[in-house]
Amino acid sequence: MKESGYEKGELPPQYTAVGSPSPERRRRWPVRRSRGLKFVALACLAFIVYAQWRQISSFPRHSPVSKLSAEKLAEDLRVCAKLRSKPQDPIGLGRERNARYVDGYQPTLIQNARVWVGEPVDGTSEEDARAGKGFEWIEADVLLEYGLIKEVRKGIDVGSLSSETLIWDAKGRPLTSGIIDMHSHAGVDSLPELNGNDDTNEMGSNITPYVRSIDGINVFDHQIQVIKSGGVTTSLVLPGSSNNIGGEAYVIKHAVGEPDGRNETSISDLLADPDRNWRYIKMACGENSKRTYGKAGEHGPTSRLGESWDFRHAFEQAAKLVQEQNDWCTLAETVGVERINSYLPQDLQWETLGAVLRGHVHVNTHCYTVPDLEAFVDHTNEFKFPVRAFHHAHQTYLVPEVLKRAWGDSPPASALFADNMWYKAEAYIGSEYAGKVLYENGLTPIYVSDNPVLNAQHVVFEAAKSFGYGLSYHAALAAVTTAPAERLGLGQRIGKVKPGFDADIVVWDSDPLSVGAAPVQVWIDGTAQFDDPVELRKPFTSPSSLPKVPAIAEEVSSTGNVIFTGVSKSFLSPGFQSGAHSQNSTVAISGGKITCVGVCEEEIEIASKSGTKIISLQNGYLTRPFTVFGSLLGLNGIDAEKDTDNGGGPGIFSRGVDGLALDTKKLHYAHRYGVTRAISAPKYSGQGTHQGTSVGFRTAAKHALDHGAIFANDVAVHYTLDLSAKRGSTSISNAVNELRHKLLEAAAADANASTTDPYTETAFLAKVIAGELPLAISVQSADAIAAILKVKEVVDKAISSSRSRGTAAGEIKLILIGGAESFLLADELAAADVGVVLSPLLSYRNSWDQRRALTGAPLTNGTAVDALVAAGVRVAVGIEEDWLVRDVGLLAGIAYKNGEGRLSEKDALDLVSDNVYKMLGLEESGSEDEREFVVFEGSPLEIGARVRAVGGGVGEEVMVFS
């Protein structure tokens, strides 16, 4: 029952924040009473007109001139015109030169390119264009001059151009506009992360519309260059999300100083639109603000309820300022500004929000959940302002109609990650298919990095994954080019390869929506950004037509019996022999295990008679399942929620097996994407740190006593020697010393001495000394790795001495987890037979101990995996965050595609399977492949591969996707 008389989001009757009339109440009145009301209304109107006349007439024609500054009053009156105007998107076509162009730079002709224009061919209807019709890769040359794209057509005559024109041969490679990242903190959250470099959030207050990211951008943040090396030419640099209203944002281009073709090194020179036609602001709903500012009984907000009040109160203050300014301007224009006795009301605290209500500022709002989204949509209608995009926006795909109710001409876009979720409660509900669902509902998906949350160097990889999850190719590529350009109000200048647009261009070494795609060269405002770019040697097929959208699983079922035909490659262990293999094999599964790989005529005949499902594949792959080593899988449900976490601490040494919590969403997704095994250790202090013994378990298990749930109770003994080691030991040197001391004590101990508790730290270290368990160290820095190698040398000598007395045997088996700078000691690691689990595979120098990491082409010749493999180090690929379980095969694919032939497909798959067991000493028998396997349609190393069946090694059924 609606007792209040107004809907959610409306203000109570008789009050409006921005001067709009209250909703008219409908009620049947008698005719005479209605006429009476009309009379009263006319009388009121006459009184209002009279009052306004009296107000104006109170300024007599010959009243004294104001004693205020005439110059200041005149300036204020000119401001009135600006307040009432509304910005327009700046034009592109028709400009003779880009306002950012620096004199003296030569024109460039890029020849023989496969060009993605960014829009359909002329004559394509809007409906057809949305369906992807009319989009194509075209053969063309592209002429860049005066910072603009001048021509895009085939066969531009070199003889017609200036003799100074630089000629660059694209050799048939793909050419797109520069990538646009609509959510970045580059420059304000500089890398490596240091306290002195962090200017992401102004945390003096929850409501800070008056602060500006431009005042904190560090032009020397190396990450600005790293990001550009991924083809990103433009970023929206936002304040952080700790505040409900965080402040103004700015659009920058990634060209800094003279080395990048600029004539000065300054923040203002980075601005993508020097005329500043549009302004931008960051707001945020949800967990962050109440967690940062809320303190019960003292100050809020402590809840989403309090956050909505903070929003509404702030907008109310801004609305009052707008009304006061409008009244002053009206009066000044009516009676003459020279007779006004006050200056134009201005308040720097609320000026930006006032501009929001006037439509001068593009609003970008961090909102994950349905209640946050709906509340903010209500705010837009109450105070009448549009939202350009909801950021993070994990649950927008569930409520497209709510987004369409937002105030303004078009609903907000959703600025998303492709599959990053589960890191906090509001990120727990989400879908990798969100972009596809939003697009099918007429909304706009955009893919972003939130750099440094994700490395913006690879933001195009987010779009590539969205294509793999079913978003159409043209929409996926638009999600990092034309869509963010339009939402930034710069859609006529950036995001397309057309005459009149800014000359921001990328030539790629492969399809930009393929695994491992990297730029060959990047131009910003017509200037090449890399003097000597590294170009990887890789097989290349130029895109000719739009790739078909990969199919996604519509139905999931469990069965013990199924047959797959069309399997072109099998990567099961050499010990598994089950029939003659061919390039078009059949895989027969009965009772949950593989009974035949090959022709399998008998099995097909039996299946036909029994009604067993037979699934035909195109380019099927049969592989061993993926194994994740070094994550928190099985020990954590939601990263930031303590109640879902096993816990841990610097002073605690415990067993992972004792803390296992299975049957979680993370593990369900891991299994669904072919990760059937994980090896996890309790954490030392945070994600990516470990202390205790790791447990090997199967992700399909419901609990630790499930048959087959645990395949190894204690896999390795873990310690942490990254920067977090100082939390427990006060210094890295002390942490190294403590580890050495523990190992030497274990080496000196009597191996035959009995113990009442075999599960103590001392007991497990004895097993390390005896060679029964490996020692796994979480470490990133080359310096710390060097110290660890010295410790190993000392301990190995002690073991050798003990062995001569018959008390110990062998050397310690050492594994490094992390390894960002391990490439600097590749030869030493190979000589010491030390394995490395790269986690992350592609470091981007986000912490001080990773500052020398290789970020890859075109900046560096390869990454850590390339240097380690070349040196003969055994390498595996780990995941630094649990959401990456979906991407394990793709990470191996990056190493394969960008390895310049160092790795075969089998070698690449071993990075996430066999190599883990070899470095741990957990050699497996081929018989396990009967019940643990994955069937893919398409290569698991490529975008668009589809898991069709998973044998998880638990029970007698396999999961089938059809």
Side-chain angles (χ1 to χ4, degrees), residues 724-736:
S724 64
K726 290 186 282 188
R727 297 180 184 177
S729 298
T730 70
S731 70
I732 299 295
S733 56
N734 188 47
V736 172

Side-chain angles (χ1 to χ4, degrees), residues 264-297:
E264 65 177 72
T265 300
S266 67
I267 300 170
S268 60
D269 189 61
L270 298 180
L271 295 178
D273 177 18
D275 297 328
R276 306 192 190 192
N277 287 276
W278 286 106
R279 296 166 67 183
Y280 310 88
I281 193 170
K282 168 73 175 296
M283 303 185 188
C285 320
E287 291 183 32
N288 291 3
S289 176
K290 63 177 184 172
R291 184 173 62 245
T292 303
Y293 297 100
K295 190 171 183 180

Side-chain angles (χ1 to χ4, degrees), residues 888-903:
V888 171
L890 298 180
L891 294 175
I894 291 171
Y896 170 64
K897 291 291 288 293
N898 291 353
E900 298 190 307
R902 296 182 187 91
L903 300 172

Side-chain angles (χ1 to χ4, degrees), residues 9 376 396 404 455 498 794 867:
F376 203 85
T396 52
K404 293 176 183 178
N455 180 4
K498 293 182 61 180
V794 170

